[in-house]
């Protein structure tokens, strides 16, 4: 598929700097031209505001803003069928196996009942600028397969990290911490990885040390991703210390070697230093943390330590999968933690949903726009009155753009969403 925009602003290159561009074009899934004219801190009065040519797909009059497609790096789209279902529930009541609300409700649904909810919410993600998500999918191999089907239907890429359908160990075995994975769990793990891109679990406290080593070995042999939730609240660390003498983050790094570590809400200075020394990527989802009444994640301390950070929205029953809202919240949270008016730059936060993904997902997912890279981008309508006079394009992208301002979302040149009329 071929297309081009004339006279637009593109957040270009790995730093996402806004540029007035005479032409932004794509062909066969790749960007083929980013014709920079001048930096575009603000809109309006630009010398670049020439009319688009007759062959252009659309003429922007300088007020179309193109940003890289957004990556939501922590979702549970399986429970998107239960919006706000966790309201009034604690983390344990809502989300922990075997009796948490999420697991009880999901078990009641047939595939035919469940699939349309997931499809609809993937479409909502595309409408709000998200092209790809990393999903921590419950319900074993069948859960992974259901999300794979929804992804194929919508074109939104699902990077699926499967989870055991049930915790393979009882309380006694977990307390003793000396069992290997039962044969059925080992078979389930292989079956999950036949469909999924990797493995995840709720907490390090759900498996024994020996089981974590086995999961690491199997996922490593099969070239799969590994992820885990750590330090969402103090109990994650406390249970791990009581059982093994070691906190959950330290155990994760030592036994499991995850590519992604989610939450870090209550990470202390030593734990943040450990993350940085290990070169690990953290995924933050401050809106979900706040909605559970948990502390807010230490964005400033993680940035100061140099930890690569991504953003997610967490459970559908807790939070909308709208990354634009997450960008706004995270930016303001970070500024409050830095305690000044200038740090961080809004593009530091936008990179958490774009260019920072390459460190985990590799060259297939650069997360930024340049000629020769995937045509994975979002067109934003800065003609609208609340955006047109912006004096800082990057800050407005991060704090003011809503799903209604998204004109179109493309992944590798494929149109996932397009608002009509386009202009
Ligand atoms: Zn999660």
């Amino acid at each position: 598929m071929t297309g081009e925009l004339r006279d637009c602003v593109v957040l270009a290159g790995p730093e996402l700097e806004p540029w007035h561009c005479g032409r932004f074009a794509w062909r066969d899934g790749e960007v083929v031209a980013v014709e920079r004219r001048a930096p575009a801190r603000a809109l309006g009065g630009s010398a670049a505001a020439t009319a688009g040519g007759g062959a252009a797909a659309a003429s922007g009059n300088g007020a179309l803003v193109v940003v890289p497609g957004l990556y939501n790096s922590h979702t549970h789209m399986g429970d998107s069928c239960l919006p706000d279902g966790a309201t009034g529930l604690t983390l344990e009541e809502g989300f922990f196996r075997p009796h948490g609300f999420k697991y009880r409700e999901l078990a009641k649904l047939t595939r035919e009942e469940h699939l349309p909810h997931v499809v609809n919410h993937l479409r909502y993600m595309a409408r709000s600028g998200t092209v790809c998500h990393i999903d921590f999918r419950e319900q074993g191999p069948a859960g992974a397969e259901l999300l794979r089907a929804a992804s194929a239907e919508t074109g939104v890429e699902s990077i699926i990290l499967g989870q055991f359908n049930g915790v393979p160990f009882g309380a006694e075995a977990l307390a003793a911490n000396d069992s290997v994975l039962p044969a059925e769990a080992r078979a389930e793990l292989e079956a999950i990885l036949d469909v999924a891109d990797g493995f995840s679990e709720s907490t390090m406290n759900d498996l024994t040390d020996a089981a974590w080593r086995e999961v690491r070995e199997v996922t490593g042999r099969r070239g799969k991703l590994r992820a885990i939730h750590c330090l969402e609240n103090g109990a994650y660390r406390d249970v791990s210390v009581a059982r093994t003498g070691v906190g959950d983050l330290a155990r994760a790094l030592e036994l499991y070697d995850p590519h992604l570590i989610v939450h870090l809400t209550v990470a202390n200075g030593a734990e943040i230093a450990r993350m940085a020394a290990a070169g690990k990527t953290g995924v933050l989802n401050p809106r979900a943390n706040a909605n559970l009444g948990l502390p807010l994640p230490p964005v400033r301390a993680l940035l100061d330590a140099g930890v690569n950070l991504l953003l997610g929205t967490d459970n559908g029953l807790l939070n909308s999968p709208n990354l634009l809202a997450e960008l706004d919240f995270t930016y303001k949270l970070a500024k409050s933690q830095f305690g000044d008016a200038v740090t961080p730059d809004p593009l530091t936060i936008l990179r958490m949903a774009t260019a920072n993904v390459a460190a985990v997902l590799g060259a297939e997912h650069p997360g930024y726009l340049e000629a020769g890279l995937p045509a994975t981008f979002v067109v934003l309508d800065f003609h609208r009155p609340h955006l047109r006079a912006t004096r800082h394009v990057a800050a407005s992208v991060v704090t003011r753009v809503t799903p209604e301002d998204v004109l179109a979302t493309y992944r590798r040149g494929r149109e996932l969403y397009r608002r009509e009329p386009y202009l």
Side-chain angles (χ1 to χ4, degrees):
M1 188 164 173
T2 298
E4 68 177 59
L5 300 170
R6 294 288 179 106
D7 185 25
C8 56
V9 170
V10 180
L11 272 56
E15 299 300 316
L16 315 182
E17 294 289 347
W19 283 84
H20 289 293
C21 288
R23 182 169 164 263
F24 173 79
W26 63 100
R27 184 172 60 232
D28 299 331
E30 269 191 9
V31 175
V32 293
V34 183
E35 294 179 4
R36 292 170 170 83
R37 286 180 174 166
R41 182 182 173 89
L43 291 185
S46 160
T50 56
S59 170
N61 296 320
L64 293 183
V65 175
V66 178
V67 302
L70 303 179
Y71 283 71
N72 189 335
S73 296
H74 177 207
T75 61
H76 296 261
M77 296 310 286
D79 59 47
S80 57
C81 53
L82 305 162
D84 299 319
T87 307
L89 302 179
T90 65
L91 183 60
E92 291 76 9
E93 291 166 345
F95 302 94
F96 278 27
R97 283 170 295 183
H99 302 304
F101 175 80
K102 169 170 79 168
Y103 292 97
R104 282 187 280 121
E105 292 300 313
L106 291 186
K108 294 175 186 171
L109 294 173
T110 66
R111 186 180 189 283
E112 290 66 35
E113 291 166 333
H114 199 175
L115 182 61
H117 288 286
V118 181
V119 166
N120 287 339
H121 282 82
L122 290 185
R123 291 203 169 116
Y124 174 75
M125 291 171 86
R127 284 204 306 279
S128 49
T130 295
V131 293
C132 178
H133 67 122
I134 302 176
D135 198 88
F136 294 60
R137 189 67 262 271
E138 306 83 354
Q139 302 183 293
E145 186 279 327
L146 181 131
L147 179 55
R148 193 64 84 205
S151 174
E153 193 167 334
T154 61
V156 174
E157 182 172 0
S158 298
I159 295 175
I160 302 172
L161 309 178
Q163 181 188 80
F164 289 124
N165 191 36
V167 178
F169 300 104
E172 280 183 23
L174 288 172
N177 193 34
D178 56 7
S179 304
V180 297
L181 277 177
E184 317 84 72
R186 214 175 154 93
E188 185 184 3
L189 175 62
E190 296 281 2
I192 289 170
L193 297 178
D194 287 344
V195 185
D197 303 292
F199 184 79
S200 64
E201 260 301 336
S202 291
T203 77
M204 288 301 294
N205 301 320
D206 290 319
L207 300 180
T208 62
D209 284 1
W212 283 116
R213 288 195 190 91
E214 290 178 88
V215 173
R216 176 180 175 174
E217 185 276 320
V218 172
T219 49
R221 173 165 48 77
R222 298 187 60 164
K224 300 287 186 173
L225 289 170
R226 293 181 291 276
I228 186 68
H229 306 79
C230 279
L231 297 167
E232 183 171 7
N233 65 20
Y236 283 46
R237 181 199 292 123
D238 296 344
V239 170
S240 185
V241 168
R243 200 181 281 164
T244 70
V246 182
D248 64 323
L249 178 66
R251 275 178 80 213
L253 295 173
E254 182 184 327
L255 303 171
Y256 180 49
D257 192 29
H259 301 90
L260 287 173
I261 298 174
V262 179
H263 286 304
L264 301 166
T265 318
V266 296
N268 60 34
E271 287 161 337
I272 290 168
R274 198 184 275 265
M275 278 287 292
K280 292 299 178 184
T281 292
V283 187
L284 307 182
N285 34 252
R287 285 192 308 151
N289 298 145
N291 203 19
L292 282 166
L294 297 171
L296 293 168
V299 188
R300 176 190 180 165
L302 288 160
L303 285 172
D304 281 345
V307 175
N308 187 51
L309 293 177
L310 305 179
L311 281 185
T313 56
D314 206 353
N315 294 85
L317 65 80
L318 188 61
N319 202 12
S320 71
N322 171 9
L323 263 184
L324 298 168
E326 204 74 37
L327 288 167
D328 181 27
F329 192 92
T330 306
Y331 174 57
K332 288 164 182 167
L333 168 64
K335 286 185 84 173
S336 175
Q337 291 178 352
F338 274 96
D340 63 44
V342 294
T343 320
D345 184 284
L347 293 177
T348 298
I349 304 301
L350 188 58
R351 285 193 290 270
M352 295 181 191
T354 55
N356 288 4
V357 298
V360 172
L361 301 181
E364 291 286 297
H365 298 270
Y368 68 92
L369 298 169
E370 205 64 88
L373 295 183
T376 298
F377 61 94
V378 184
V379 185
L380 302 173
D381 184 4
F382 268 63
H383 287 99
R384 303 188 116 198
H386 64 290
L387 298 173
R388 182 67 185 88
T390 181
R391 299 304 178 95
H392 199 297
V393 172
S396 293
V397 168
V398 168
T399 66
R400 273 170 212 270
V401 167
T402 67
E404 291 70 34
D405 305 320
V406 173
L407 283 171
T409 302
Y410 294 85
R411 188 173 71 78
R412 294 185 172 274
R414 174 178 170 183
E415 191 177 278
L416 305 185
Y417 167 71
R418 181 185 179 99
R419 194 179 85 197
E420 299 295 349
Y422 192 75
L423 285 173

